[in-house]
Amino acid sequence: MEWLQSLFFGGGIAHAVLIFSLAITLGILLGKIKIGGVSLGITWILFVGIALSSIGMTVSGDVLHFVKEFGLILFVFSIGLQVGPGFFASFKHGGLTLVCCAAAIVLLGVATAYILHIVTGTPIPTMVGILSGAVTNTPGLGAAQQAYADATGLNDPTIALGYAVAYPLGVVGIIFTMIFIRYALRVKFEKENEGLAALSQEHKFADKVSVEFTNKILDGRTVEYLRDLINRQFVISRVMSSAGEIAMADTDTVIHTGDRLCVICQAEDTEAIVAFFGHRVEMADEEWGGNTPDAELISRRILITKPSVNGKKFSDLRLRTKYGITLTRVNRAGVDLIPYQGLELQIGDRVMVVGTAKAVAQVADVLGNSLKKLDHPNLVTIFVGIALGVLLGSIPLMNVPQPVKLGLAGGPLIVAILIGRFGTHFHLVTYTTMSANLMLREIGIALFLAAVGIGAGDGFVDAVVGGGYRWIGYGVIITVVPLLIVGLVARLWLKMNYYTLMGLIAGATTDPPALAYANATAGNDMPAVGYSTVYPVVMFLRVLTAQIFILFAL
């Protein structure tokens, strides 16, 4: 039986693989347990790792260090690729207010932690760990550990211990803050629902409307002339003549009074365009599929899967000129965009095409439209991005007194965001299926948490008994105070919808359990909209401030 004891308590590759597998498996199973509808999720992996390490099931330091850093890189890079396309757009369409509120929560959290450090004398590394646990932000923990190790050449186990102690009540504190604001300010869901339609309209990119053309001054003008005159982005996909004949429209189509137009435009431009053309008429989608001079028109969503199309503009492909089709919408990551000629296409975009069956089939062949091709992972983009991220993260930015670097968390995160947004300019295929991205992310965070827990297990109980229990209180203060301050300001001064406010609170702490609670409470997707709006910026700030907090204190 010596081989069995050696496998569990010895060393070697088999031992390390077994310990990591046990920690991750047991942690995921425990994460399914809910108390009061709330679960710690995969954070249980951290606690299982601590438990295994405390009974002697440890892994060598070099293996732990590699697995921890590589897992963190996989996690933050996959997050960056996911949020990259919408990172800069989050500052538009009313999102700037949410982003500013979220940034204020991050900075207030850092300020609160620093004040507690001064008042209590708790070392900065420990306090940064408590801060990361209090706001349930694992990448911040990784960034702090890596920054401390780079600056001192040592590992401080109290960073992970502070995180582990503060995390459980961090989850509870975030949800408690939502509940407190709801009852303290007497929020009525009926009133919130009244404003829900208006808020949803702000996030709607494209609208479809049927219009009867009655502007006699513009009778006999082309679609191109009308577009230049009104100076707004819109597409006229089909025209129904007064005789009832339906034809596709392009830039040279002549419009006459009495014609009916099928118009796709920006939601905020709908009323202006309708008033400019004539008046709205109610027509079902089936009515636009009527008789045409040549053949029946069909509409079809075509998936862009050809690498040669990636990064090209509609004007480069000349689809309308070559095939006589009309492009009405482009769906990217669940958002409908107006397909203007300068729009750059990305693999994974879904283009709505209107035309004859033959023409639509030809366009589908040009764009790819093959689901199988999207299932193939684009490993070159991922590993090129990781290499560039490590390079960027290793560049010294300033000396205060130690070199400040973006590190193995910040560097890959920034590069992934930039690749996700601008990769098509360099013909990089940045698309990954949601399931593939989630798998990469979950493997990375599971390996990271297991490594952190196994490394922190030795001395965990002694640290808590020897005064670490106070860290729980510090964590609660760091969690609640910034959320209450910004939450009350957002609600009372900025008049923010409560559903959106819950999404802001969950996003500012990057906390999925809090988002799940918010979604269940609201019964709509407004918390998810608020969460996704602030998440990219918050993730970046959490990683950066954790490193700066440590390095400025050394």
Side-chain angles (χ1 to χ4, degrees):
M1 298 297 289
E2 291 183 4
W3 66 269
L4 188 60
Q5 181 171 347
S6 175
L7 186 61
F8 279 90
F9 297 95
I13 299 299
H15 166 76
V17 172
L18 177 64
I19 300 304
F20 275 104
S21 299
L22 284 176
I24 294 171
T25 301
L26 293 175
I28 292 174
L29 292 176
L30 289 172
K32 297 181 182 298
I33 300 174
K34 293 184 178 181
I35 300 176
V38 178
S39 169
L40 295 181
I42 64 171
T43 308
W44 270 108
I45 296 174
L46 174 69
F47 298 110
V48 173
I50 291 174
L52 293 178
S53 180
S54 64
I55 61 175
M57 298 174 68
T58 60
V59 177
S60 67
D62 291 339
V63 174
L64 275 179
H65 185 68
F66 171 78
V67 172
K68 181 178 69 175
E69 299 300 346
F70 188 64
L72 179 64
I73 289 172
L74 288 179
F75 177 65
V76 298
F77 190 84
S78 58
I79 286 177
L81 277 184
Q82 181 192 12
V83 304
F87 181 81
F88 299 98
S90 66
F91 295 97
K92 303 177 183 177
H93 304 285
L96 184 58
T97 300
L98 285 174
V99 170
C100 289
C101 289
I105 291 173
V106 174
L107 297 178
L108 279 174
V110 174
T112 303
Y114 188 72
I115 292 172
L116 286 172
H117 155 69
I118 295 175
V119 173
T120 65
T122 305
I124 284 287
T126 306
M127 189 58 70
V128 175
I130 297 172
L131 169 63
S132 297
V135 297
T136 69
N137 188 259
T138 308
L141 166 66
Q145 288 184 313
Q146 201 249 330
Y148 186 85
D150 285 348
T152 64
L154 303 171
N155 290 315
D156 189 337
T158 65
I159 300 177
L161 294 176
Y163 174 91
V165 170
Y167 190 100
L169 282 186
V171 176
V172 176
I174 295 164
I175 296 175
F176 167 79
T177 303
M178 296 181 185
I179 298 173
F180 177 83
I181 292 176
R182 174 184 173 184
Y183 288 102
L185 301 184
R186 299 179 180 179
V187 174
K188 302 295 183 183
F189 284 174
E190 295 79 8
K191 292 185 178 180
E192 303 307 306
N193 288 331
E194 291 176 1
L196 187 58
L199 286 170
S200 298
Q201 187 69 14
E202 290 182 10
H203 293 87
K204 187 177 181 181
F205 280 66
D207 198 6
K208 181 179 180 180
V209 61
S210 299
V211 181
E212 183 169 339
F213 190 76
T214 60
N215 193 331
K216 295 182 180 179
I217 298 176
L218 299 175
D219 182 49
R221 297 292 188 177
T222 64
V223 171
E224 184 177 15
Y225 180 87
L226 299 178
R227 184 182 292 120
D228 292 340
L229 189 62
I230 195 174
N231 194 29
R232 293 176 188 263
Q233 289 291 340
F234 66 87
V235 172
I236 298 178
S237 63
R238 296 175 231 193
V239 177
M240 176 185 288
S241 68
S242 56
E245 293 183 343
I246 298 176
M248 285 189 306
D250 56 29
T251 55
D252 297 324
T253 299
V254 177
I255 307 298
H256 299 284
T257 55
D259 289 347
R260 291 191 173 188
L261 317 175
C262 183
V263 182
I264 296 91
C265 60
Q266 299 284 358
E268 61 267 23
D269 294 337
T270 301
E271 294 304 319
I273 290 175
V274 169
F276 180 74
F277 288 156
H279 60 268
R280 187 191 299 257
V281 292
E282 296 299 328
M283 291 184 63
D285 290 341
E286 294 77 13
E287 296 181 73
W288 282 112
N291 297 325
T292 63
D294 301 316
E296 183 179 358
L297 295 177
I298 64 171
S299 60
R300 180 180 172 190
R301 283 193 181 273
I302 296 176
L303 190 62
I304 297 178
T305 59
K306 278 194 175 180
S308 59
V309 178
N310 189 54
K312 287 191 176 181
K313 300 176 181 178
F314 276 120
S315 56
D316 298 331
L317 300 176
R318 301 175 62 198
L319 298 177
R320 292 176 181 172
T321 303
K322 291 181 178 179
Y323 305 104
I325 52 88
T326 298
L327 308 168
T328 61
R329 274 161 290 180
V330 175
N331 185 277
R332 179 175 297 166
V335 175
D336 281 336
L337 307 174
I338 302 300
Y340 60 91
Q341 291 298 298
L343 180 65
E344 291 184 348
L345 298 174
Q346 298 181 11
I347 286 184
D349 287 350
R350 295 180 182 271
V351 182
M352 179 65 80
V353 178
V354 178
T356 63
K358 180 180 179 181
V360 171
Q362 290 174 325
V363 172
D365 184 60
V366 171
L367 299 181
N369 202 37
S370 173
L371 283 172
K372 290 184 178 180
K373 290 185 178 180
L374 290 185
D375 291 336
H376 186 73
N378 299 291
L379 295 181
V380 171
T381 299
I382 292 174
F383 283 99
V384 166
I386 289 176
L388 292 175
V390 171
L391 180 62
L392 177 63
S394 302
I395 298 175
L397 302 178
M398 61 182 77
N399 291 282
V400 284
Q402 299 293 330
V404 176
K405 303 176 184 178
L406 293 173
L408 295 181
L413 177 63
I414 292 176
V415 169
I417 289 174
L418 294 176
I419 287 179
R421 174 61 182 86
F422 301 108
T424 54
H425 294 190
F426 305 97
H427 300 289
L428 289 175
V429 178
T430 61
Y431 176 84
T432 57
T433 62
M434 184 61 69
S435 59
N437 184 283
L438 186 60
M439 174 64 78
L440 192 66
R441 189 193 321 172
E442 292 298 303
I443 288 176
I445 193 63
L447 289 173
F448 172 80
L449 288 174
V452 171
I454 294 170
D458 187 22
F460 177 78
V461 175
D462 293 338
V464 174
V465 173
Y469 59 87
R470 299 188 185 93
W471 301 346
I472 298 175
Y474 303 158
V476 171
I477 295 172
I478 294 172
T479 300
V480 174
V481 170
L483 292 179
L484 279 180
I485 292 174
V486 177
L488 292 174
V489 169
R491 180 65 182 176
L492 297 175
W493 184 38
L494 301 177
K495 308 299 181 184
M496 187 176 293
N497 182 278
Y498 180 70
Y499 300 146
T500 303
L501 179 59
M502 286 196 294
L504 166 65
I505 291 173
T509 52
T510 62
D511 188 48
L515 176 61
Y517 170 81
N519 284 335
T521 302
N524 55 64
D525 62 352
M526 291 311 296
V529 171
Y531 183 95
S532 60
T533 299
V534 304
Y535 183 91
V537 176
V538 168
M539 185 63 72
F540 172 74
L541 288 177
R542 291 289 185 197
V543 170
L544 193 61
T545 54
Q547 294 181 90
I548 293 176
F549 197 177
I550 280 189
L551 294 176
F552 270 79
L554 292 176

